[in-house]
Amino acid sequence: MYSYDQYDTQLVNERVAQFRDQVQRRLDGRLSEEEFRPLRLLNGLYLQLHAYMLRVAVPYGTLSSAQLRMLAQIARRYDRGYGHFTTRQNIQYNWTKLEDAPDILADLASVEMHAIQTSGNTIRNTTSDPYAGVAAEELEDPRVYCEIIRQWSTLHPEFTFLPRKFKIAVTASPNDRAAVKVHDIGIAIRKNAEGETGFEILVGGGLGRTPMVGKTIRDFLPKEHLLSYLEAILRVYNLNGRRDNKYKARIKILVHDLGTDAFREQVDAEWENLRGKGPELPPAEMERIRAFFAPPEYEKPGSNHQDYIEKLRTNAGFAEWVRANVVEHKQNGYAIVNISLKPEGGIPGDATAVQMDSVADLAEKYSMAEIRVTHQQNLVLPNVRQADLFVMWEELRNQGLATNNIGLISDIIACPGLDYCGLATARSIPVAQRISTRFADLKRQHDLGELQLKISGCINACGHHHVGHIGILGVDRNNEEYYQITLGGRADENAAIGKIIGRAFSSDDVVDAVETVVNTYVDQRQDDERFIDTYERIGPKPFKEALYDAA
Amino acid sequence: MSHQVVTASRLRDGRAVYLTAGKTWSEKIAGSLVAATEDDSNAMLADAQEAADARIVVDPYLVDVTLDDALPTPVTMREKMRATGPSVTYSATQSEYRQVA
Ligand code: SF4
């Protein structure tokens, strides 16, 4: 893992002191709310429906056990004993107080964390593959570049007041688990014909009011040019992105209005000025950062490996959990373990302080003290010996953390919605809970197979509903909650925006509607088709008929 | 005109609060002062603005309510939610919550 050098430490500590002073000046009246609001937002502090909400950055979703323990402690000391992991691999606290915020930030700084640029029209936390560094099929660890981008973008003076927020994601795997095609900039590490690794650069993807799939503007960018090229893109956007209309201010609108080719030309022209002169990446610096992410010393699979095989054979519950939640590791004898934060009827992404502490302990015992947060709002232990899986599973079960539903219909992404969020038009969480309860039967879920269901409480689409195989968007109709269903979205390497299937359903009817959609799939599927395969083969018509014709 | 109450967020902790007859702020909408005329609403909003200037609350505004046995109930979903708090039991183990001083 990366660890702070003197510059990081100084910067974060100075920021805490600065914010402490700003909060004090707000409380004693030297700053008005108008003056203070942008300052608190630059530190991740929102004023939501019921309280201040603090969003803490988890850089590219990687946490140490010590950091996760601190997140638990903050939940206990300053909040109500829980936190909410978000679709941007961050964590939010829903019940913080303004007067506590400086102390929380100081506690975070003590474990090399902060809330800088988790809000505002800035470059946000760079997200990545939760299996980075351990996935069997990846080219190299993408977090090296995420960290480089983090350093470059943190408090970048030129990009502190962009037209709108800006999100970058990096993947190094052909199976895209970082949704790079729906980010402002998506970076995919690729090999060229000469066998060198570099970057494919996509721009203009995004969800929200105008969902779009990103366009490739460069097939292969040599590594040393990463920052100068990103800077060129950001400059073109900063200059030409619209500032007159918040809903048209994201880079996707600029790319769309200009056309991909014209946008690329502008970037290339800017890049001509920057290349070699702007921020480039000297190989020594790249190597310095890479060293932080060097693979740990893995053990050879020992004799107790046989026990693992035996347990798989004899314990059906364990075998099912392994099948659903455990993923192949690049290292023989090791495994990647997903910890579902989607228990039956639970709140997607919520974890209590007790659970955070126990995951931190388990990581320390079994996963080299490292944890990942996924954009699916789950946690991952990336480095577990197969021989330890069984004992770990038993410990997870004791904490209610062994739900074996990764990738299944109850592994729902849901934004906070109207239960917490000031921008929401409808609730998301209760719908997620009811769907999770309706499909509680795990046998049925496994029979249904991979099915990504995503719920947003408003058109801002924090719950990624546009790219759910089944997406649900909450809308307000004369002060009543209605839910619009979209089908056929996907967030992977074949990213697609789902299509609205028809008129919206009332809160009472939406769960039945989801079940109708699912049953239609079951009726129509061939062989071992997944939901999305069936939908892509037969199209929306049978689903539409099932949903609306009977009525 | 429909009935109205004044709400705001309390500066120190951000909690949703409602203006009471005694010009104090309550976390419970049940205790709020209800305006029945536009003049009442304007007067209440002026009081609330004073409280904002005195740094007690942030961003006060009027909320339409209906009266149910004299109990004000907001009209919109958003304001209903602010008045009642989240409709979900946050975290499976809500009882674990304890405030550490
Ligand atoms: S999608 Fe809307 S309701 Fe949900 S968290 Fe985002 S802004 Fe709030």
Side-chain angles (χ1 to χ4, degrees):
Chain A
M1 272 183 68
Y2 182 71
S3 82
Y4 277 11
D5 62 17
Q6 68 187 92
Y7 302 106
D8 298 299
T9 307
Q10 186 180 350
L11 183 150
V12 170
N13 286 338
E14 284 178 1
R15 186 60 173 249
V16 174
Q18 182 190 47
F19 191 55
R20 192 180 290 285
D21 179 59
Q22 289 162 345
V23 170
Q24 191 47 51
R25 286 191 284 151
R26 175 69 187 112
L27 290 173
D28 68 24
R30 282 176 288 161
L31 287 177
S32 70
E33 185 62 18
E34 290 65 42
E35 291 165 325
F36 180 65
R37 184 181 299 116
L39 302 176
R40 79 167 148 70
L41 287 177
L42 284 174
N43 291 285
L45 194 65
Y46 290 71
L47 189 47
Q48 290 286 33
L49 286 183
H50 315 293
Y52 290 97
M53 179 271 277
L54 181 71
R55 183 180 294 147
V56 176
V58 178
Y60 33 90
T62 296
L63 284 169
S64 68
S65 285
Q67 289 174 326
L68 186 54
R69 276 196 199 99
M70 179 55 81
L71 295 180
Q73 187 177 314
I74 288 169
R76 252 189 224 108
R77 184 174 289 170
Y78 304 106
D79 206 277
R80 296 192 167 180
Y82 72 104
H84 175 77
F85 289 100
T86 76
T87 52
R88 304 220 63 257
Q89 299 179 302
N90 291 327
I91 185 169
Q92 295 179 178
Y93 295 102
N94 288 318
W95 301 96
T96 57
K97 297 177 178 164
L98 176 61
E99 50 197 4
D100 287 338
D103 290 338
I104 304 177
L105 295 185
D107 284 358
L108 288 170
S110 74
V111 292
E112 306 187 351
M113 294 183 80
H114 60 70
I116 297 169
Q117 287 173 213
T118 59
S119 175
N121 294 334
T122 54
I123 302 173
R124 303 290 186 87
N125 182 27
T126 298
T127 51
S128 191
D129 184 349
Y131 305 160
V134 293
E137 78 285 10
E138 87 179 1
L139 290 173
E140 56 176 282
D141 194 332
R143 293 175 302 165
V144 175
Y145 307 100
C146 295
E147 175 54 30
I148 287 166
I149 293 169
R150 187 192 72 82
Q151 298 193 14
W152 161 77
S153 63
T154 301
L155 308 191
H156 193 305
E158 195 176 325
F159 305 134
T160 304
F161 296 99
L162 293 167
R164 200 77 179 85
K165 58 187 164 184
F166 203 92
K167 301 173 182 176
I168 304 175
V170 188
T171 184
S173 172
N175 304 314
D176 178 14
R177 287 172 291 260
V180 297
K181 288 192 170 172
V182 289
H183 281 75
D184 296 285
I185 294 180
I187 301 176
I189 299 179
R190 301 259 187 260
K191 264 196 179 16
N192 67 4
E194 284 72 50
E196 302 153 335
T197 45
F199 308 109
E200 179 187 347
I201 307 285
L202 298 98
V203 292
L207 301 173
R209 198 166 291 255
T210 322
M212 287 186 192
V213 173
K215 320 280 182 306
T216 298
I217 57 164
R218 183 158 285 266
D219 292 322
F220 189 84
L221 179 75
K223 283 179 181 171
E224 66 268 26
H225 296 310
L226 176 66
L227 295 183
S228 61
Y229 195 74
L230 290 184
E231 191 136 326
I233 297 173
L234 263 300
R235 275 199 176 172
V236 169
Y237 169 56
N238 204 16
L239 226 67
N240 301 329
R242 286 181 62 171
R243 290 174 189 267
D244 61 326
N245 181 341
K246 182 173 152 181
Y247 301 119
K248 297 194 187 304
R250 296 287 288 265
I251 195 173
K252 62 191 171 189
I253 305 291
L254 179 66
V255 174
H256 181 261
D257 288 354
L258 281 176
T260 310
D261 289 334
F263 181 82
R264 179 191 297 115
E265 279 163 27
Q266 290 197 10
V267 171
D268 284 349
E270 188 61 43
W271 193 38
E272 272 312 305
N273 295 325
L274 284 168
R275 198 169 161 173
K277 292 174 243 140
E280 297 287 18
L281 264 180
E285 179 60 10
M286 225 181 319
E287 287 319 308
R288 189 182 74 85
I289 303 288
R290 189 186 310 285
F292 287 107
F293 298 95
E297 295 258 337
Y298 290 113
E299 295 169 18
K300 296 231 156 25
S303 54
N304 47 7
H305 187 69
Q306 275 313 314
D307 296 348
Y308 164 62
I309 306 289
E310 183 62 18
K311 280 283 186 312
L312 273 184
R313 215 171 50 77
T314 54
N315 189 318
F318 174 59
E320 272 168 25
W321 173 77
V322 168
R323 186 160 67 99
N325 290 29
V326 176
V327 176
E328 191 194 355
H329 196 285
K330 68 176 182 187
Q331 186 71 28
N332 198 8
Y334 281 79
I336 302 170
V337 173
N338 284 279
I339 299 175
S340 170
L341 298 181
K342 321 286 175 64
E344 180 190 330
I347 298 179
D350 271 18
T352 64
V354 173
Q355 289 175 325
M356 288 188 239
D357 273 337
S358 49
V359 172
D361 291 347
L362 287 174
E364 199 147 72
K365 240 155 103 185
Y366 302 117
S367 182
M368 304 178 181
E370 198 176 312
I371 303 104
R372 308 289 175 77
V373 183
T374 79
H375 86 267
Q376 320 270 14
Q377 304 178 284
N378 293 315
L379 298 176
V380 167
L381 299 184
N383 278 313
V384 182
R385 295 188 318 159
Q386 283 179 335
D388 291 331
L389 282 172
F390 186 75
V391 277
M392 213 186 81
W393 172 67
E394 291 189 307
E395 294 187 38
L396 283 170
R397 281 208 304 176
N398 290 337
Q399 297 297 335
L401 288 168
T403 312
N404 53 329
N405 62 349
I406 295 295
L408 305 180
I409 189 169
S410 66
D411 186 7
I412 298 169
I413 288 183
C415 77
L418 195 54
D419 282 294
Y420 295 100
C421 175
L423 300 171
T425 42
R427 284 174 289 176
S428 318
I429 296 168
V431 176
Q433 291 176 310
R434 283 191 285 138
I435 293 172
S436 155
T437 308
R438 174 73 63 93
F439 290 91
D441 178 1
L442 273 162
K443 246 178 91 188
R444 181 177 179 203
Q445 289 193 46
H446 281 278
D447 173 64
L448 296 174
E450 186 193 334
L451 212 172
Q452 295 183 2
L453 197 147
K454 307 182 200 256
I455 310 176
S456 303
C458 82
I459 194 62
N460 287 326
C462 305
H464 296 184
H465 66 277
H466 295 299
V467 289
H469 298 167
I470 301 177
I472 299 179
L473 166 66
V475 293
D476 179 292
R477 276 218 202 130
N478 300 324
N479 299 319
E480 268 188 65
E481 293 163 302
Y482 273 75
Y483 295 90
Q484 214 168 55
I485 294 183
T486 56
L487 298 181
R490 54 198 292 177
D492 59 5
E493 56 283 2
N494 301 311
I497 306 298
K499 300 242 176 351
I500 296 173
I501 190 76
R503 71 182 143 71
F505 295 91
S506 72
S507 179
D508 283 344
D509 292 338
V510 65
V511 179
D512 288 338
V514 167
E515 192 158 28
T516 302
V517 167
V518 168
N519 289 342
T520 307
Y521 150 67
V522 172
D523 289 345
Q524 300 273 349
R525 72 176 159 192
Q526 293 176 353
D527 308 322
D528 47 8
E529 268 183 342
R530 298 170 305 167
F531 177 89
I532 188 71
D533 304 325
T534 302
Y535 177 84
E536 287 176 358
R537 178 171 55 78
I538 66 178
K541 198 158 167 269
F543 295 94
K544 212 178 221 150
E545 285 168 3
L547 281 170
Y548 300 107
D549 280 4
Chain B
M1 176 194 118
S2 64
H3 292 93
Q4 292 187 313
V5 300
V6 173
T7 188
S9 303
R10 198 156 51 204
L11 174 65
R12 280 175 185 277
D13 61 5
R15 299 305 304 266
V17 285
Y18 299 87
L19 183 68
T20 70
K23 293 197 192 180
T24 60
W25 294 87
S26 167
E27 284 180 36
K28 298 202 167 60
I29 194 170
S32 59
L33 180 61
V34 181
T37 68
E38 209 175 315
D39 285 350
D40 286 354
S41 290
N42 289 338
M44 281 160 57
L45 202 53
D47 287 343
Q49 196 49 52
E50 266 176 39
D53 294 342
R55 305 187 304 282
I56 297 164
V57 295
V58 175
D59 298 338
Y61 60 92
L62 291 160
V63 172
D64 289 343
V65 294
T66 54
L67 289 185
D68 193 5
D69 261 351
L71 184 75
T73 306
V75 174
T76 66
M77 277 303 300
R78 181 182 194 276
E79 290 305 325
K80 279 197 179 96
M81 208 55 66
R82 275 184 88 248
T84 56
S87 66
V88 294
T89 309
Y90 40 85
S91 84
T93 45
Q94 195 166 19
S95 55
E96 275 168 14
Y97 161 55
R98 63 199 162 93
Q99 185 97 40
V100 178

